[in-house]
Amino acid sequence: SHDWMMILGRVTDQRCVGIFLVLVTACFVLQISSDYTEWTMTMPRKTLGKQQVRVETERRIAIVYKTKTIQDTCSLERFLALAQSALVLYDVILLHEANHPLSDTALESLKNLNNVQAFHSPETPGSLAFQDDHRKSKLSFILWAAAQSGNYSHYWVVEDDVVFTGPWVNFFANANALLLHTTADLVSKTESQGKTWAHAKTCRVCGEVCSENGIITQSFLNLFRISHRYVVHLAELLNSNALKGYDEAVVPAACRLWVNQNGTNMCQQERLFVDDDEEGFDTMGGWSAWASTNSSSSAFSLRGLATLYMHQQEFCNNDTIAIRELLKSNLTTDIPRNKIFHPVKCA
């Protein structure tokens, strides 16, 4: 009897050791799988094998390129520069106005690009916010994205006058690395504005003012990332006529003011880049003192904005005369690499 007990004890010990080893092995495999999935989120397709298959994760992201139309060589080349480069990471969606059809050359080019789709921007009812001509594209994107039934968890939105002076895949790969561990609902360049900002007084979300302690956040919406769930929330607010004011003030404010019944904030915001110089990206051009009513002026050209970028430390308080004199002189041909410039208009 004693011998049988010893044998049974040894067998039990061996079984326990075996179960322990199985559990350890399973945990190791799961960790490797998790690490691989996280690593492949930011890797181009061409590095993942001959089939160039992108690893799908719970955060499926698309790039939405917003434009009025593509009719000339400049606008087509600009879109193709983004699409052909960024397709190694994401699907690309071309969103253009229905009453401005794409050129035959553009349509033919789209046929040769996998994972690129073209959609018409939806009509925007006159009763909704953001109704000046310059802002309708923001509204139409929100309405379009909200109707996509969750095909994507997040969207990168790029306006057609945003230029990156390098392969777009570099920009998105760098952004991926910075945003790898966040599912933030709004990621954009931001700037804090005071009560004197022209758009501060008119901004309202569900009747509440957009400022907090006298400060209002401006989100630059020419290049940003937004979650599908926040787009749906914005569309609901728009359709209930709960948003009033300038889009770059309203969108971040609506995120801050989105709380549930328990008072918990439902929306997370992140800055696109904390330090432009460290990350190697320029600030967002802008329509400040050098802006002209003539969109074909050098102020809206890549060489013009690059010249301003290289001399920006020389100007104090947006010296309008000095800036315009600089733009009349020799513009730089030495365009800084891997920088974001906006607004760069096709002549």
Side-chain angles (χ1 to χ4, degrees):
S1 174
H2 179 71
D3 293 339
W4 277 108
M5 290 296 293
M6 290 181 64
I7 293 172
L8 181 60
R10 290 173 182 172
V11 171
T12 302
D13 289 344
Q14 290 174 355
R15 286 180 177 176
C16 289
V17 171
I19 293 172
F20 175 74
L21 290 174
V22 169
L23 291 174
V24 170
T25 303
C27 290
F28 178 76
V29 170
L30 288 173
Q31 182 61 44
I32 292 295
S33 175
S34 176
D35 291 345
Y36 177 76
T37 300
E38 184 176 76
W39 174 73
T40 51
M41 282 183 65
T42 59
M43 295 302 293
R45 283 184 295 175
K46 64 182 180 180
T47 67
L48 302 180
K50 293 182 179 180
Q51 294 182 344
Q52 297 186 348
V53 177
R54 286 177 292 185
V55 175
E56 298 295 345
T57 70
E58 61 182 13
R59 288 189 283 173
R60 191 170 179 226
I61 302 174
I63 299 170
V64 179
Y65 186 84
K66 295 196 300 82
T67 187
K68 184 175 183 179
T69 186
I70 294 181
Q71 282 287 342
D72 54 56
T73 301
C74 170
S75 57
L76 178 58
E77 288 180 348
R78 189 171 292 183
F79 170 71
L80 292 178
L82 180 144
Q84 292 172 342
S85 176
L87 271 174
V88 298
L89 291 176
Y90 303 131
D91 292 347
V92 175
I93 293 166
L94 176 62
L95 194 61
H96 69 96
E97 295 181 8
N99 57 343
H100 291 87
L102 303 177
S103 68
D104 292 339
T105 304
L107 291 172
E108 191 64 29
S109 298
L110 291 179
K111 293 179 182 178
N112 299 322
L113 294 172
N114 294 327
N115 298 314
V116 172
Q117 303 177 72
F119 291 92
H120 292 156
S121 302
E123 293 294 324
T124 56
S127 60
L128 300 185
F130 319 152
Q131 280 304 297
D132 58 281
D133 290 338
H134 181 54
R135 298 291 150 187
K136 284 185 178 180
S137 64
K138 307 289 197 314
L139 176 57
S140 63
F141 160 73
I142 292 172
L143 298 179
W144 172 85
Q148 296 312 299
S149 303
N151 293 331
Y152 300 98
S153 64
H154 294 76
Y155 306 93
W156 276 106
V157 184
V158 183
E159 290 191 337
D160 61 3
D161 58 355
V162 174
V163 168
F164 181 62
T165 58
W168 272 101
V169 68
N170 290 356
F171 169 83
F172 289 112
N174 191 31
N176 284 349
L178 294 173
L179 301 172
L180 185 60
H181 299 291
T182 179
T183 56
D185 298 285
L186 179 62
V187 180
S188 66
K189 295 281 292 184
T190 61
E191 187 171 319
S192 295
Q193 302 287 357
K195 294 180 179 179
T196 58
W197 188 37
H199 305 291
K201 293 182 179 180
T202 58
C203 185
R204 295 289 186 277
V205 176
C206 299
E208 293 190 47
V209 296
C210 297
S211 59
E212 184 179 29
N213 298 322
I215 301 298
I216 186 170
T217 298
Q218 178 185 8
S219 287
F220 292 88
L221 300 182
N222 38 47
L223 173 62
F224 65 102
R225 197 184 82 172
I226 191 169
S227 70
H228 177 75
R229 74 186 197 101
Y230 184 43
V231 160
V232 171
H233 178 66
L234 284 173
E236 292 172 351
L237 292 176
L238 283 166
N239 287 319
S240 62
N241 208 28
L243 300 181
K244 298 293 183 183
Y246 185 64
D247 57 345
E248 294 187 347
V250 169
V251 171
C255 182
R256 180 178 59 80
L257 294 170
W258 185 14
V259 296
N260 63 16
Q261 294 179 345
N262 298 322
T264 302
N265 194 278
M266 299 291 292
C267 189
Q268 180 186 0
Q269 300 185 60
E270 296 280 353
R271 289 194 63 191
L272 181 53
F273 294 108
V274 176
D275 189 328
D276 297 317
D277 292 331
E278 179 181 339
E279 301 301 335
F281 295 93
D282 183 29
T283 53
M284 296 289 194
W287 302 87
S288 57
W290 58 82
S292 166
T293 55
N294 179 10
S295 62
S296 63
S297 72
S298 57
F300 300 106
S301 69
L302 182 57
R303 289 180 61 192
L305 288 178
T307 301
L308 292 170
Y309 167 74
M310 297 171 70
H311 293 270
Q312 60 185 325
Q313 299 301 326
E314 301 173 15
F315 303 117
C316 298
N317 301 320
N318 284 336
D319 188 337
T320 305
I321 296 177
I323 289 172
R324 290 181 175 172
E325 285 300 317
L326 175 63
L327 292 173
K328 292 178 181 178
S329 60
N330 293 330
L331 301 180
T332 184
T333 57
D334 185 17
I335 307 298
R337 296 291 294 169
N338 293 317
K339 301 279 187 183
I340 289 289
F341 287 100
H342 169 268
V344 183
K345 303 296 184 181
C346 284

